[in-house]
Structure formats: structure tokens, C-alpha cells
Amino acid sequence: MTERSHRSPDRIRNYGHAAVTSLGRQEWLDRPSYRLEHGLTFLFAAVGRYRDRVSNALHGTWLGHPLHPALTSVPTGAVTTTVAMDAASVLSGGDAQWRDASRFALGVGLAGSVGAAATGLTDWQHTHEQSRRVGVVHGLLNGVATSLYALSWWDRRNGRHRRGMACSALGYGITLSSGYLGGALVYGSGAGVDRSGARLSGAHWTPVLPATALDGQPRRVDVDGVGVVLYRADDRVLAVGARCPHLGAPMDDGWIDRGRIVCPWHGSRFACESGEVLRGPATAALPHYPTRIRHGYVEVRGGTK
């Protein structure tokens, strides 16, 4: 293998990294992104008392991880099928059955794009700085691609098959570029990834601090190198992970409100008894550990969450 062939993957990787880094530095994207966020806030407020139900459904709290990645497979897979059947149609001399099937698949992709866009926007509104800017471009590219798919479907319906094929092929190329940015958000910036960090394990009890040290404020302690935050709730002591699973907010800045532990950054709420997500944007449970008070000291051991 030549030295030139070794350089090709590195060059592609460097170009991709440079593009994502450059987009993350475009501060001019902040103003339109904040306007879009405010619009989304008003939109969710419009559903009134159903706001939490709607946002939780779109975030994927019921699923245990973000819903957006699962829904993106629908339009991407459908359009991939469309492009493949378009190629088969050309090779077969323009068979009408291939054309009809490809238009149907494209229609499925357009329908799936609605769900992917709704969940993506819901997750995006809780991002910051570089991730927010890259996310804006990711969404814009998907919007352009979806517009081309809609135009392609309309052209196919009206008998302009060649132009329809060209539009969907161009849109597919844009979708692939947008997918690269989406991958950078997940695997590079950790968007949608459980950010709660290391967790306690083992069944042994570890004394961490005197019970009298809990004066109503959360206290962070380190147990075997793992961060743990202690809350006093009435006559109970709660022990949870030091970082919110959503974007790693410090839970020692959080508080307890009506039996719920509240994240200080984006307002995710977790059940005091189990760490289960009650309100997004978090989708993974907050680590939760058993506690006891023995000889005046709070003791903690590894938990199940």
C-alpha cells in the first residue's frame, strides 16, 4: 500500500473535523438560533398543561434514550430505497413498476421527515454554543433536502420522472452531508449521550460525611473516585450521581421540588425514590444510591440505576 493511499483517510478525516470546527465558531448563527428557540418555547407553551407530556414524548424519556436517532432511520432508509429503485428503473429502461415503487418510498420518507424534524428540534433547543451552531446547519441542510424530496415527489406524480430522480439524488447527497454533522453532534459533542459519568458499584457501605453536615443544601462527596451528591429531604437522605445524564450539569447546584430532583441547567426532573426521569430533556435515569445513617454518619453503597 502506497503512502498516498495511507494519506487519503487522514485527509478526509481532517477535512471533516475542520468543517465541523469551523461551523462551531460561526457566532453569527447565535441570533437566528435563539429566535428559533424562543419560537419553540412559545409553541410548547401553547399546548398548556400537556406541555410536559408532549416534550417527554418527543425527547424519548419513555424510551430511555433520545427518540430522534430512531426516527431519522425512517426518512434516510426510505430515500435510500428510492435512489436504489431509481437506479433499477434506469437500468430496466424506465419500468413503470420501479417508478411507482420509488415514488411510494419517497412518500414514506417525507412522512418520516416530519417526526425526525419534530424530535430533532425538541432536542436541539437544549444545546449550547458550538453544538447549537452545528445543529442549526444540520437542521437547515435537512430542510433543504426535504424540500428537494417534496419537489421530486411532485415531479414524479406529474410524469416528470427524470427531474424527480435528479432532485431526490441531489437531496440524498445533502442528507448524507447533514448526517455527518449529526454524527459529529452525537459522537463528538455527546449530544443525547448519557453524561452522568462513572457509577458506584459493590454492596459495601461507605461512610461519607456526618449527618449534621447536611444543612439543607446539596453536598457533593467523592466515593471511591465517583462523584455523589447528597440531599436531605424531610427525614431522608438521598444520594444521586454528581452529573445530570443530559449534558452533565452539576447536580449539587440542583434542588428538590415536590418530591422531584431538579437539574439546574435545563429543568430535567427525576424521582427522588429511584432517579427515574419524570420530565426531559434528560432521557436516561439519574444514578441513585441507597443510603443509611449509622453512628451519626451518612453511609452510601452502590445502587441499581
Side-chain angles (χ1 to χ4, degrees):
M1 187 176 292
T2 65
E3 182 179 355
R4 184 175 180 179
S5 63
H6 277 296
R7 289 178 180 174
S8 295
D10 291 338
R11 187 174 300 173
I12 294 172
R13 182 168 56 249
N14 291 339
Y15 284 156
H17 177 73
V20 173
T21 301
S22 177
L23 289 175
R25 292 173 178 168
Q26 304 305 308
E27 296 183 2
W28 63 271
L29 290 169
D30 291 344
R31 178 173 292 182
S33 70
Y34 285 124
R35 288 179 177 174
L36 177 57
E37 180 190 1
H38 293 158
L40 292 172
T41 300
F42 284 125
L43 188 61
F44 278 108
V47 300
R49 61 192 180 95
Y50 297 104
R51 175 179 178 175
D52 286 353
R53 292 185 183 181
V54 173
S55 62
N56 282 349
L58 293 174
H59 281 306
T61 57
W62 55 274
L63 190 60
H65 67 74
L67 180 60
H68 178 64
L71 291 188
T72 57
S73 63
V74 176
T76 303
V79 176
T80 301
T81 302
T82 297
V83 172
M85 288 192 292
D86 283 346
S89 174
V90 171
L91 292 175
S92 65
D95 190 302
Q97 290 184 332
W98 284 116
R99 290 178 175 178
D100 292 342
S102 62
R103 182 161 64 91
F104 176 79
L106 187 58
V108 172
L110 285 170
S113 295
V114 176
T119 54
L121 282 169
T122 304
D123 291 343
W124 168 85
Q125 67 178 324
H126 300 294
T127 57
H128 302 281
E129 298 180 343
Q130 289 86 357
S131 295
R132 173 178 288 261
R133 297 163 191 158
V134 173
V136 166
V137 178
H138 170 70
L140 285 174
L141 288 177
N142 281 335
V144 171
T146 301
S147 299
L148 287 169
Y149 296 147
L151 179 60
S152 172
W153 187 90
W154 183 256
D155 283 339
R156 293 164 191 263
R157 184 176 183 274
N158 290 281
R160 297 185 288 268
H161 301 291
R162 293 287 181 179
R163 196 168 83 172
M165 290 179 184
C167 285
S168 57
L170 178 59
Y172 188 60
I174 295 174
T175 294
L176 293 180
S177 299
S178 175
Y180 180 85
L181 296 181
L185 286 172
V186 174
Y187 300 112
S189 302
V193 176
D194 186 344
R195 303 281 287 275
S196 56
R199 308 190 179 203
L200 285 180
S201 60
H204 62 281
W205 290 95
T206 301
V208 290
L209 84 172
T212 54
L214 291 175
D215 55 359
Q217 297 298 318
R219 290 287 300 272
R220 173 178 172 141
V221 297
D222 286 327
V223 183
D224 297 331
V226 177
V228 176
V229 173
L230 301 174
Y231 298 88
R232 181 179 286 279
D234 299 326
D235 58 345
R236 300 177 298 164
V237 175
L238 307 176
V240 300
R243 296 286 176 182
C244 176
H246 177 226
L247 286 179
M251 293 306 297
D252 50 323
D253 288 338
W255 61 91
I256 294 179
D257 176 34
R258 292 173 294 179
R260 302 175 177 184
I261 302 173
V262 183
C263 167
W265 285 2
H266 300 113
S268 293
R269 284 165 166 73
F270 307 91
C272 287
E273 298 79 8
S274 63
E276 175 188 358
V277 183
L278 300 177
R279 175 183 173 185
T283 55
L286 181 68
H288 188 275
Y289 306 111
T291 65
R292 70 181 184 184
I293 298 178
R294 190 178 185 189
H295 305 309
Y297 271 80
V298 177
E299 297 185 347
V300 179
R301 67 174 176 84
T304 58
K305 292 283 185 183

